[in-house]
């Protein structure tokens, strides 16, 4: 069965280019011009990936992303954005997007990001269901099925990307992971962004699991290499 991709993009030339290229690659494609129609189409279908422009009429891309994430925390979403600063890109990712492509983009790069996002999504879909999948380190606990994260008795709210990063760190406790390894395993092997996005997200996760800086440190920096999650050095 063909994988299905929803495009929400108001620039007709870009939307048509994406449609042609994705169909040529073997995907089933549907496109909408505004956020309201995009949300309606999304809710009616079973999508493997969403390509979402931020600046769209009716319902902007960020709000549409929020609503998609309320419905499904796992469906891959790639943002199409004209914004180029690292801060803007990180903000979009922090709101739940899996990746971003800056306009104007090279179609080969976009297709690589689509393949990477679909591989990550497929891996999550293959995870066994109904299994008690708690991961823990010290008083930090995470359940992969319910996506609950607890520090002691305190509930922690993480974005999808923050959650995936913490899962990977917990699965590889006491193992020093380089930024490149984290990019490959959390963002996808074809991710072409800056490695400093890892540092940004490590900081986000640290701030959420210990906002007061009074709890035992769990995520440690290994200078010149990357990061390790362990109860103590």
């Amino acid at each position: 069965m063909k994988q299905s991709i929803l495009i929400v993009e108001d620039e007709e030339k870009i939307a048509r280019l994406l449609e042609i290229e994705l169909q040529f690659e073997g995907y089933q494609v549907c496109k909408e011009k505004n956020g309201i129609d995009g949300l309606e189409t999304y809710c009616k279908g079973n999508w493997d990936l969403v390509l979402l422009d931020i600046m769209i009429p009716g319902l902007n891309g960020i709000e549409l992303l929020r609503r998609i994430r309320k419905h499904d925390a796992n469906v891959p979403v790639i943002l199409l954005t004209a914004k180029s600063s690292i801060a803007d890109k990180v903000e979009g990712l922090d709101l739940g997007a899996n990746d971003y492509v800056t306009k104007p983009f090279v179609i080969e790069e976009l297709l690589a990001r689509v393949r990477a996002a679909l591989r990550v999504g497929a891996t999550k879909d293959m995870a066994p269901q109904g299994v008690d999948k708690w991961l823990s380190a010290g008083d930090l606990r995470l359940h992969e099925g319910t996506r609950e994260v607890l520090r002691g008795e305190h509930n922690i709210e993480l974005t999808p990307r923050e959650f995936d990063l913490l899962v990977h760190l917990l699965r590889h406790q006491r193992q020093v992971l380089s930024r490149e390894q984290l990019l490959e395993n959390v963002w996808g092997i074809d991710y072409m962004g800056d490695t400093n996005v890892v540092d940004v997200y490590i900081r986000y996760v640290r701030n959420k699991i210990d906002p007061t800086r009074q709890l035992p440190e769990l995520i440690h920096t290994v200078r010149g290499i990357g990061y390790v999650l362990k109860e103590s050095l």
Side-chain angles (χ1 to χ4, degrees):
M1 181 181 295
K2 291 183 178 181
Q3 292 175 301
S4 58
I5 297 177
L6 173 62
I7 301 169
V8 187
E9 167 63 68
D10 64 327
E11 295 186 50
E12 181 57 35
K13 290 183 179 179
I14 293 178
R16 181 56 179 158
L17 170 65
L18 292 172
E19 181 181 37
I20 291 172
E21 293 289 346
L22 290 167
Q23 287 178 338
F24 182 78
E25 293 294 317
Y27 301 110
Q28 180 179 330
V29 181
C30 179
K31 54 184 173 58
E32 297 292 354
K33 295 181 179 180
N34 63 73
I36 295 174
D37 291 341
L39 179 61
E40 182 178 353
T41 300
Y42 170 80
C43 291
K44 290 180 179 178
N46 184 21
W47 305 98
D48 295 296
L49 183 139
V50 180
L51 283 172
L52 177 58
D53 184 26
I54 290 180
M55 301 300 292
I56 49 176
L59 191 70
N60 69 49
I62 295 300
E63 181 57 33
L64 177 52
L65 175 59
R66 287 194 184 102
R67 299 192 187 194
I68 288 174
R69 282 291 172 248
K70 287 181 180 179
H71 180 268
D72 189 337
N74 293 324
V75 61
V77 178
I78 298 177
L79 294 178
L80 304 175
T81 172
K83 298 180 178 181
S84 59
S85 76
I86 291 296
D88 288 330
K89 293 171 182 176
V90 169
E91 179 184 13
L93 293 169
D94 194 38
L95 289 168
N98 296 76
D99 202 351
Y100 64 85
V101 176
T102 303
K103 299 178 184 178
F105 53 80
V106 177
I107 192 63
E108 288 80 8
E109 177 184 351
L110 183 140
L111 292 173
R113 291 174 184 265
V114 166
R115 290 192 295 270
L118 286 170
R119 277 197 297 273
V120 172
T123 300
K124 291 178 180 177
D125 289 341
M126 291 188 294
Q129 300 297 314
V131 178
D132 186 23
K133 296 162 56 180
W134 282 101
L135 300 173
S136 63
D139 61 348
L140 176 68
R141 295 183 297 141
L142 177 151
H143 195 286
E144 294 184 76
T146 63
R147 303 183 75 84
E148 292 176 89
V149 182
L150 301 170
R151 187 81 192 261
E153 299 302 318
H154 178 66
N155 184 63
I156 299 169
E157 296 292 334
L158 298 179
T159 67
R161 181 72 73 188
E162 292 165 353
F163 183 87
D164 291 345
L165 176 58
L166 186 56
V167 166
H168 192 72
L169 290 169
L170 284 166
R171 285 177 177 170
H172 298 83
Q173 288 183 53
R174 297 175 293 280
Q175 178 181 340
V176 178
L177 302 170
S178 68
R179 291 171 179 82
E180 290 75 16
Q181 287 175 310
L182 290 169
L183 280 176
E184 178 177 332
N185 290 283
V186 179
W187 278 259
I189 194 169
D190 292 323
Y191 181 80
M192 300 177 186
D194 300 318
T195 58
N196 65 358
V197 74
V198 174
D199 303 320
V200 172
Y201 273 84
I202 288 288
R203 185 172 72 250
Y204 287 168
V205 174
R206 278 173 167 163
N207 289 340
K208 289 188 176 182
I209 65 175
D210 184 14
T212 64
R213 290 290 190 273
Q214 296 179 352
L215 298 174
E217 186 177 7
L218 292 175
I219 301 175
H220 307 273
T221 301
V222 181
R223 294 190 181 279
I225 303 178
Y227 300 95
V228 59
L229 188 148
K230 58 189 301 185
E231 293 184 49
S232 62
L233 287 174

